[in-house]
Amino acid sequence: MRPWHAIAWSAGMVGAVVTGTAVSLASHSSRIAAQRRNGAEDDPYQGEGLGRAEPDRRSTVAADDGVPLAVQEVHPADGGEAELTVVLVHGYSLDSRCWHFQRRDLPRLSDPKVRLVLYDQRSHGRSGHSRRANCTVEQLGRDLDAVLRATARRGPVVLAGHSMGGMAIMALAEQRPELFRERIAGVALLSTSAGQVGARGLPKPWLSKNNPLTRTMGVLAQWQPSLVESARRSGSHVAWNVVRRLAFGDRDVDTALVDLTDDMIASTTVETVTDFLDTLGSHDRTAALAGLRHSEVLVLGGDADRLIPFSHSETIAEQLPDAELARVEGAGHMAILERAEPVTERLSELVRRVARDERAEGTAEKVSGS
């Protein structure tokens, strides 16, 4: 991987400042811009309002260290009372917009009726900025706990986490395993890892704590943030191409999906990107997976994921023999966008299983109490 490829993904700094070949890069950027324009003409999502869906309710939840977390709620599409709550937890350098298709389709379920809760992780999306010391997977687990206490006080809950969002769920299982016995009836771990991400997934140079590239980016982001962001914007077309290559399995993926992903990454500050690198590199929650054994579990990954390969999903499933393991053919790391239909169907099946289990348990309790 060339250095500027790594920079484009981990910090977005691309261009002549880095490569020293301004003419060549400008030509490359122009070709990519043309590809984006051509793709936009055939955009199948033009009427979709991709990433712009409005929730039924917005609120702010204070994390235990005071960081405000931006929360959205979506009610069942046809009205009525929801039978359960599904909480969607997004990944690294993204925001809640990545769940566009799942937030569109899951509330349309009629059996059971579903209420969605989505939130932006700290320092991402609309949520408040976090101190670097609190940009950890452990803190993300506590943030998820705060969101649950504020928005899902009653009824069964299904947690679905993509990438770093799945890691947050594992951290919560480590911190509060009783929740998974009493409240959290289902868990979906999507395109994520229980540990050693740099060993079998994201290339080690990007996540190493001693990597001079990411360390330099972090220092620059703190010292001259405006300079770093300016350099990032100057190479936006090249960064877009890197996102397409690394986040998606299909080179012919619709440009609108790449645009949305690129916009989420570009909206995440370089400082935030570097603040979370240490925790991703040291994340290891294999032991915490035992806390999920009381829940219905779906483990899903794309077999063309270049960032967290499918082997990570297989490793999680080995620790949870009763879990469903799903392989999404041809999908990259952004399977929730790239192969939204099969991913959402798997999530819907998980929700239906949870509802059946809850109904059966309720019936058994009535019989035993009669």
Side-chain angles (χ1 to χ4, degrees):
M1 183 66 62
R2 295 178 182 175
W4 60 264
H5 275 190
I7 294 170
W9 180 256
S10 65
M13 273 194 73
V14 292
V17 173
V18 177
T19 64
T21 55
V23 174
S24 174
L25 186 56
S27 175
H28 185 51
S29 181
S30 297
R31 290 197 300 272
I32 297 168
Q35 293 172 9
R36 296 176 71 176
R37 287 193 300 271
N38 293 336
E41 293 173 1
D42 303 320
D43 180 10
Y45 305 109
Q46 279 187 337
E48 183 77 29
L50 199 61
R52 297 193 299 274
E54 281 297 316
D56 293 304
R57 181 173 183 266
R58 291 186 186 273
S59 62
T60 301
V61 172
D64 60 4
D65 63 349
V67 171
L69 304 173
V71 178
Q72 303 174 46
E73 298 176 36
V74 182
H75 301 154
D78 60 356
E81 186 174 351
E83 192 170 341
L84 55 80
T85 298
V86 177
V87 182
L88 302 177
V89 193
H90 72 77
Y92 175 57
S93 295
L94 304 173
D95 57 53
S96 57
R97 289 178 291 168
C98 69
W99 297 106
H100 174 84
F101 297 108
Q102 291 73 37
R103 72 177 291 161
R104 180 195 67 185
D105 294 340
L106 290 176
R108 294 176 179 174
L109 295 177
S110 58
D111 185 21
K113 289 188 176 183
V114 169
R115 166 179 169 265
L116 291 187
V117 172
L118 309 90
Y119 69 100
D120 291 334
Q121 305 252 36
R122 59 180 49 229
S123 294
H124 291 73
R126 298 177 183 229
S127 288
H129 181 74
S130 171
R131 294 187 303 116
R132 181 169 189 165
N134 288 355
C135 290
T136 65
V137 172
E138 291 83 0
Q139 182 63 56
L140 297 182
R142 292 192 289 271
D143 290 351
L144 175 54
D145 188 25
V147 170
L148 288 173
R149 284 186 276 110
T151 65
R153 298 184 184 92
R154 298 185 303 276
V157 174
V158 173
L159 301 179
H162 173 257
S163 191
M164 189 174 74
M167 298 176 191
I169 293 172
M170 296 176 213
L172 179 63
E174 183 177 60
Q175 295 158 4
R176 298 200 60 193
E178 75 279 3
L179 285 178
F180 294 80
R181 293 192 299 268
E182 301 165 1
R183 294 288 317 286
I184 299 171
V187 172
L189 301 174
L190 312 176
S191 306
T192 191
S193 171
Q196 297 183 320
V197 180
R200 288 191 302 162
L202 288 166
K204 286 183 181 179
W206 296 2
L207 293 179
S208 170
K209 294 181 179 181
N210 300 314
N211 177 14
L213 174 62
T214 54
R215 286 299 179 203
T216 300
M217 298 302 298
V219 170
L220 281 173
Q222 294 178 22
W223 176 51
Q224 288 286 350
S226 60
L227 174 64
V228 175
E229 295 295 350
S230 176
R232 182 188 207 182
R233 288 191 296 271
S234 71
S236 61
H237 289 311
V238 178
W240 182 92
N241 195 41
V242 173
V243 169
R244 183 185 64 172
R245 288 172 178 269
L246 295 185
F248 296 90
D250 186 354
R251 289 292 301 277
D252 295 323
V253 62
D254 288 302
T255 58
L257 301 182
V258 185
D259 284 344
L260 176 59
T261 304
D262 180 59
D263 186 62
M264 287 186 284
I265 294 171
S267 298
T268 306
T269 67
V270 174
E271 184 179 5
T272 295
V273 171
T274 58
D275 283 351
F276 277 93
L277 283 174
D278 277 357
T279 196
L280 294 177
S282 60
H283 163 70
D284 189 349
R285 295 288 177 302
T286 305
L289 294 174
L292 306 181
R293 66 184 183 277
H294 300 288
S295 306
E296 290 276 357
V297 179
L298 165 67
V299 183
L300 178 148
D303 64 5
D305 192 334
R306 298 177 180 87
L307 299 178
I308 300 182
F310 187 71
S311 59
H312 284 259
S313 295
E314 293 176 316
T315 298
I316 293 172
E318 288 170 4
Q319 301 298 317
L320 297 167
D322 294 329
E324 176 191 6
L325 177 62
R327 179 194 298 264
V328 185
E329 293 186 10
H333 193 59
M334 295 303 296
I336 57 175
L337 287 174
E338 185 179 16
R339 296 288 186 270
E341 187 173 344
V343 171
T344 305
E345 182 53 37
R346 293 286 190 174
L347 285 173
S348 299
E349 290 172 2
L350 173 66
V351 167
R352 294 186 192 106
R353 287 200 303 274
V354 167
R356 286 196 298 267
D357 291 347
E358 292 294 316
R359 292 166 186 167
E361 184 176 331
T363 301
E365 288 177 355
K366 289 181 180 178
V367 171
S368 63
S370 60

